[in-house]
Structure formats: structure tokens, C-alpha cells
Amino acid sequence: MQYRDYYEILGVEKGASEKEIKRAFRKLARQYHPDVNPGDDEAEERFKEVNEAYEVLSDPEKRSKYDRLGHEWARYQQAGGRPDGFDWSQWTTGAPGQGQRVHVRYGTPEDLNDLFGGSSPFSDFFSEIFGGMGAGTAGTGGYEYRIRPQRGQDYEQEVEISLQEAYHGTQRALQKNGRRLQVKIPPGAHTGTRVRLSGEGAQGAGGGAAGDLYLRVRVAPDPTFERRDDDLYVTVPVNLYAAVLGGKVEVPTLSDPVELTIPTGTQNGRTFRLRGKGMPHLKQPDQHGHLYAKVEVQVPTELTPRQRELFEELRRIS
């Protein structure tokens, strides 16, 4: 949501008096009024902006809130922040179970409907900060709208975990408005898994419910295992003698290591499946994927004279 500079729209300084603001508004309203500029969409849009700016700056309470927001916005931009990264939550209005009203000082209900074609004359910025427009009633000197409850914005934050943590499940601690939140990440989480904290997003407007906070999981690469969905893949070094004559090797898992029997004459690259030794299923953590162990035969690089003699004999008789 892009910040709107209401002072710039009216062409007044930030310290302008009420009279200066009212005088600037009247001048611009006459200049851009649709009756003066029939069929001019640009003039109509400027008229909407002028009316919206006056709605805020002519109201001491709204102006005070807007000035505080503008100060925070300026500091945020000076710190190098992106417009889409500004935290708008503290500026949204509304309290649970209560309605709010916004009084538009220009015209009658019929005038507004004719002027704006039945659509809201307020921008998304105004609606977010001061509440959305709902059904209205006529009031003295204008038209009064009741604010519709609006649900607060959802927040999303990435969190990185290890494959070991994804296997067993883990927790992360967050700080939000001085409160410490302990978030549980379930076993079987994968990159892209989202963990929801209900009601921990932006505050709702006009009595609307608060949004949610989502933690988006990213599982870091593991130096030992490759993960494909809920299956794991690992390379197991096997010495030449076990591959030729058969034997046993230890295979690592994310829990306890297991012993794998290597049959006689096992070829390099052969893969063995260890059932249920993979990742737990996210929705059914008592069930697991499989672990695939790929044999990597280790050929000796240094031989004693006796070993070389035996290998030569083996080659001769073969």
C-alpha cells in the first residue's frame, strides 16, 4: 500500500492552519469539480484526491494520526526500507465489536453517487488507515458513512530449519510487540510448509478480526542426505572385500544407524531400500518414507607386496 501525501495534494505546508487548509481545498475543489470539467477523468480523479486529503487534514484527530504515520514513513524511507515492507498494522483503525464513522463534508448522498458513479470516493490508503466505506446516512453538512469491519492483513515470515529438525519437529521463538511467541514446527515439515499463528497478523479495521501470522519453512540442504518428498537418499562406502565376499556395513539415518547386509558380488552403485527409515509424513507423523542407500565401492589405492601378489594370482586364475 503506497503512502499518500495529503499536504502535497492540497498544496499546503505541513504546519498549515485550518483556514489555510480550508482555503486550499475550496480553490482546488472549484478547479477540478466535475461540473467545471465534464467528461475529464483526470480532473475527476484529482477532485477525489482533494476531497480525501481535506477529509483527513480538516479533522484534528485524523490529522494527528496521519502526521504520526507520515513521520514514521519518512524515517522508514530514510533507513532504506521498501514501500511494500512498511509495517502498517499499528495505523489501522477499529476496535472489536465497535463501528466507526467517517463524515464526508462535501455534498449530499445524491451528489456523491452522481459524482463518483456509486463507487467509494476514497483510496485504498484511506480505507486501510481510517477504515473501509460502508452504508451511510445523511448528516449535517454532508454524508456520513459507517465503516465496514475489515480483516487485518496476514503476515508471512521465512524461517530456516535443518533436516534433522524437520525429521524430529522443532520450535522457534518470536518477539511480537514485546511478547514472546513459541512456535511449534511439526515433524515432516518441508520447504514451503506454512505454520499459522491465528490472530497474530495486522489488527483489523472497524472491528474486523486480526489477520494471521504465517511462518514459511525452508529446510536447509543436508551434507549427508538428499531429500525427495518423504524419501531420503544416502551414499554408503563399502570396501572392495565386502562387495566381493559379502559383509555388513553401517548406514546412517536421522535417528539411529542401522546395519545393512551386503550380499556377495554387490556391484558399485547398487541401491538398497530401507523401509520406513525416511522422513515422517507431515499429516501422519507415525508413518515414514523410505531410505535408499547407494553402494559406493572403495577400491584400495595402496597395496602391500603380499596384497599385490594375491591380486595378481586372482587375475591369473580368472
Side-chain angles (χ1 to χ4, degrees):
M1 179 175 57
Q2 184 65 42
Y3 176 79
R4 295 170 68 90
D5 191 333
Y6 290 142
Y7 292 101
E8 182 179 348
I9 290 173
L10 290 183
V12 297
E13 298 294 329
K14 291 189 177 180
S17 66
E18 291 184 16
K19 288 185 177 179
E20 289 172 326
I21 290 173
K22 189 172 185 178
R23 183 165 58 247
F25 165 70
R26 286 179 172 176
K27 177 182 177 181
L28 294 172
R30 285 194 298 268
Q31 179 180 348
Y32 294 110
H33 195 286
D35 289 346
V36 180
N37 305 274
D40 188 336
D41 292 339
E42 184 175 345
E44 181 177 325
E45 188 61 34
R46 284 285 289 124
F47 185 80
K48 292 180 182 180
E49 291 179 347
V50 168
N51 191 70
E52 177 175 310
Y54 183 66
E55 165 63 29
V56 173
L57 298 185
S58 63
D59 184 311
E61 184 177 346
K62 289 190 182 72
R63 182 178 180 180
S64 175
K65 180 178 180 180
Y66 174 77
D67 287 344
R68 294 197 309 273
L69 183 151
H71 177 68
E72 292 297 325
W73 174 265
R75 287 175 50 192
Y76 179 76
Q77 285 195 318
Q78 289 169 5
R82 301 192 316 274
D84 60 351
F86 186 73
D87 180 11
W88 296 98
S89 61
Q90 60 182 310
W91 306 109
T92 56
T93 60
Q98 298 179 1
Q100 295 190 14
R101 292 181 180 271
V102 174
H103 186 76
V104 182
R105 291 174 175 76
Y106 195 94
T108 66
E110 291 76 13
D111 292 335
L112 287 175
N113 285 334
D114 291 343
L115 180 59
F116 302 116
S119 62
S120 169
F122 298 99
S123 67
D124 290 340
F125 173 80
F126 183 96
S127 296
E128 284 291 332
I129 304 306
F130 299 101
M133 297 300 101
T137 56
T140 303
Y143 192 67
E144 194 172 68
Y145 285 86
R146 179 172 294 278
I147 296 172
R148 290 195 305 265
Q150 291 184 327
R151 184 179 181 277
Q153 180 183 357
D154 290 337
Y155 293 153
E156 188 167 301
Q157 174 66 44
E158 183 177 83
V159 59
E160 182 177 276
I161 64 174
S162 67
L163 186 63
Q164 189 76 232
E165 289 176 312
Y167 181 86
H168 294 285
T170 188
Q171 295 187 22
R172 285 292 186 271
L174 303 175
Q175 292 288 339
K176 181 176 182 290
N177 298 331
R179 294 185 296 120
R180 182 182 175 88
L181 304 176
Q182 202 73 20
V183 186
K184 291 184 178 181
I185 300 175
H190 52 79
T191 295
T193 294
R194 296 203 307 168
V195 180
R196 181 170 71 99
L197 282 75
S198 179
E200 295 295 346
Q203 179 184 352
D212 299 327
L213 171 62
Y214 289 90
L215 287 189
R216 187 177 71 255
V217 174
R218 186 173 78 87
V219 181
D222 188 88
T224 302
F225 300 95
E226 178 189 353
R227 181 180 183 179
R228 302 178 193 171
D229 295 327
D230 289 331
D231 294 330
L232 295 174
Y233 292 78
V234 65
T235 298
V236 180
V238 176
N239 65 55
L240 177 63
Y241 314 108
V244 174
L245 303 174
K248 295 183 180 297
V249 296
E250 187 176 87
V251 178
T253 73
L254 287 172
S255 53
D256 299 319
V258 297
E259 193 173 65
L260 174 65
T261 298
I262 302 296
T264 300
T266 294
Q267 299 297 306
N268 184 53
R270 181 175 176 180
T271 299
F272 295 88
R273 181 176 66 181
L274 283 69
R275 292 179 178 274
K277 294 298 181 180
M279 296 294 294
H281 298 323
L282 181 60
K283 302 296 185 181
Q284 298 173 298
D286 56 328
Q287 299 183 24
H288 290 67
H290 306 310
L291 173 64
Y292 292 88
K294 181 181 178 181
V295 168
E296 186 178 78
V297 177
Q298 306 292 300
V299 178
T301 56
E302 296 183 4
L303 300 175
T304 66
R306 178 56 179 161
Q307 288 174 326
R308 184 174 185 82
E309 179 182 342
L310 292 173
F311 272 109
E312 290 288 357
E313 177 66 17
L314 181 60
R315 180 168 63 177
R316 186 183 65 79
I317 64 176
S318 297

